[in-house]
Amino acid sequence: VVVVSSKSGGTVETDSQRRAYEKAFADAGIDARERIVVVTDPGSPLDQSATEAGYRVFRADPSVGGRFSALTAFGLVPSGLAGADIGALLAEAEAIRGDLERDSVDNPGLRLGALIGVANLAGVDKLVLCNADAPYAGFGDWAEQLIAESTGKNGKGVLPVIVESATAPNFSPSSADEVLGSFGPGWLFDDVRTKSGWGVSVDAPLGAQMLLWEHATAVAGAIIGINPFDQPDVESAKAASRKLLDGGGADPEPRFTDGAITVYASPGWLPDDVDNVHDAITELLAGLDLETGYVAVQAYLDRHRDATLADVRTTIASATGRPVTFGWGPRFLHSTGQYHKGGPSTGVYLQITGQPERDLAVPDRPFTFHEFLIAQAVGDGQVLAEKGRPVLRLHLDGPGSLDAVRQALL
């Protein structure tokens, strides 16, 4: 079963994937209506077209924002189809709802949100999250989008940094601008001390965790002084990508080629005499503020085939002593991407793109998936550059060139 999910009904990534699956099903002699399930807001273009085509359509509550919608049809439909006990998930959320709605100093949503928000006002604006024996290991990735996209705007925000373990750099050791947070029953703070003095441990079932962090994120946003329910800078990257796909933008000129890697850089920070990848990365990291800065690694590659690339997060964090995030593109554009462009101007950005082993045309569209992916990377880089953020893009000539990036980081 393929779940096609889009609130607006016009998300280009989702539409492109839907087209590819429809064609694949048709080529295999399968009626796509038997395999595709649609989740969208009522009255959206996708609702109209999918209903007319005879698909099964679940219409979600349009008043709930996308990143707050895990406990609506957007999260429940695919979870139920995958075999999760969604009744239990909702019961877990319902069990904590009364506490979250209570006007009390014991309200856990107020306590968590206040901790994150007040720490932010004190300059402790990163939240490093670690799994403490929770059975829902992917929770950090979900919380990353909720927190970053909700709070990163107007030059403010909370940067979530998801780490591999309690012994990973950024958690241990930590820096003075980090709140250390854990989710799950484990207690990590007997062995780990926060350099900032700010820390939090949250133990609750998955449904309760989700509702708790949604409330806390809204509270933190109110304290910081932003609207946690919009995402203005996500659209700016989308617009830049569409412009490139429509032929309205100029392709960037490479700065140099080093073996299997072609190097691109945003204007104004990379010296003209740099001619190799190692020195380009060194220059990027040299621009890092050692008190407030962070590094964002953005890999527009295959997250299964190239999974070991994520190890560069710990490599860079150990070398710099600063918070480092790792995101797979284009997913992160709807997550930390909002914080990168709307949050404080304290980051440096390393993009990694590459030539695919083979490409696939998007049916009835004048571009391929690879062309779309590169337009997203370039478009996002252009918006970052316009905001004065330094961006370095390493473009690999193929999947076999990944080791060259790792070597350059040593």
Side-chain angles (χ1 to χ4, degrees):
V1 176
V2 176
V3 180
V4 178
S5 177
S6 171
K7 275 190 67 64
S8 67
T11 308
V12 181
E13 296 101 322
T14 308
D15 177 71
S16 298
Q17 294 164 340
R18 174 187 61 80
R19 291 168 181 271
Y21 274 105
E22 284 177 337
K23 184 177 187 304
F25 285 137
D27 290 346
I30 297 171
D31 185 348
R33 292 174 297 181
E34 298 176 356
R35 302 295 180 91
I36 290 179
V37 173
V38 172
V39 187
T40 188
D41 278 357
S44 74
L46 179 59
D47 180 13
Q48 296 172 11
S49 62
T51 301
E52 291 171 2
Y55 289 124
R56 282 167 287 188
V57 179
F58 288 83
R59 297 168 185 89
D61 184 343
S63 67
V64 181
R67 58 191 171 277
F68 290 88
S69 63
L71 298 174
T72 74
F74 284 102
L76 298 177
V77 169
S79 297
L81 288 169
D85 186 344
I86 59 176
L89 190 70
L90 290 171
E92 292 166 358
E94 182 63 28
I96 199 176
R97 186 162 70 107
D99 291 334
L100 294 172
E101 295 174 350
R102 186 169 295 118
D103 183 7
S104 166
V105 293
D106 295 322
N107 180 324
L110 288 176
R111 291 171 69 90
L112 177 58
L115 184 147
I116 295 169
V118 174
N120 188 274
L121 295 181
V124 185
D125 62 353
K126 284 84 175 175
L127 174 64
V128 183
L129 277 177
C130 177
N131 182 358
D133 303 322
Y136 35 85
F139 179 80
D141 291 333
W142 173 82
E144 177 187 62
Q145 177 179 6
L146 173 69
I147 296 163
E149 196 173 27
S150 297
T151 68
K153 58 202 73 170
N154 302 333
K156 304 175 183 180
V158 178
L159 176 68
V161 180
I162 313 306
V163 297
E164 302 76 13
S165 70
T167 60
N170 296 154
F171 202 89
S172 181
S174 60
S175 59
D177 57 341
E178 295 174 351
V179 176
L180 297 190
S182 68
F183 55 90
W187 176 256
L188 307 178
F189 294 105
D190 287 336
D191 301 315
V192 176
R193 288 291 180 266
T194 72
K195 188 171 183 179
S196 69
W198 296 85
V200 60
S201 177
V202 183
D203 180 23
L206 180 57
Q209 284 272 18
M210 286 179 162
L211 198 59
L212 168 61
W213 283 89
E214 288 175 359
H215 275 254
T217 298
V219 170
I223 293 171
I224 294 168
I226 52 88
N227 175 7
F229 303 111
D230 67 358
Q231 52 282 332
D233 295 291
V234 170
E235 181 56 35
S236 64
K238 290 182 180 180
S241 300
R242 287 194 294 266
K243 184 176 180 180
L244 288 165
L245 287 172
D246 293 339
D251 291 332
E253 290 291 331
R255 291 293 297 269
F256 60 85
T257 299
D258 181 6
I261 302 176
T262 303
V263 176
Y264 301 82
S266 59
W269 66 269
L270 186 63
D272 292 337
D273 59 353
V274 172
D275 61 0
N276 64 83
V277 173
H278 180 274
D279 288 352
I281 294 174
T282 300
E283 286 290 337
L284 180 73
L285 299 181
L288 194 60
D289 186 307
L290 297 182
E291 294 185 357
T292 63
Y294 69 92
V295 183
V297 183
Q298 307 164 351
Y300 290 81
L301 299 171
D302 187 318
R303 68 186 181 95
H304 298 291
R305 182 195 64 203
D306 305 323
T308 58
L309 181 63
D311 295 342
V312 304
R313 196 207 72 79
T314 59
T315 301
I316 298 174
S318 296
T320 63
R322 297 303 304 154
V324 178
T325 65
F326 183 95
W328 295 103
R331 176 193 176 276
F332 80 87
L333 293 174
H334 300 269
S335 177
T336 50
Q338 167 63 41
Y339 181 95
H340 296 159
K341 296 178 285 291
S345 182
T346 55
V348 299
Y349 305 90
L350 176 61
Q351 293 184 336
I352 305 171
T353 57
Q355 290 300 118
E357 293 178 293
R358 59 176 181 164
D359 200 0
L360 180 68
V362 178
D364 301 319
R365 286 290 183 263
F367 51 83
T368 68
F369 277 98
H370 175 63
E371 290 168 343
F372 184 20
L373 196 73
I374 294 300
Q376 290 179 301
V378 173
D380 189 51
Q382 289 177 348
V383 176
L384 286 168
E386 290 168 2
K387 292 179 175 288
R389 274 68 157 169
V391 183
L392 177 67
R393 178 161 71 95
L394 310 179
H395 186 75
L396 314 181
D397 66 3
S401 304
L402 209 56
D403 282 342
V405 174
R406 296 192 189 92
Q407 289 301 314
L409 287 166
L410 298 179

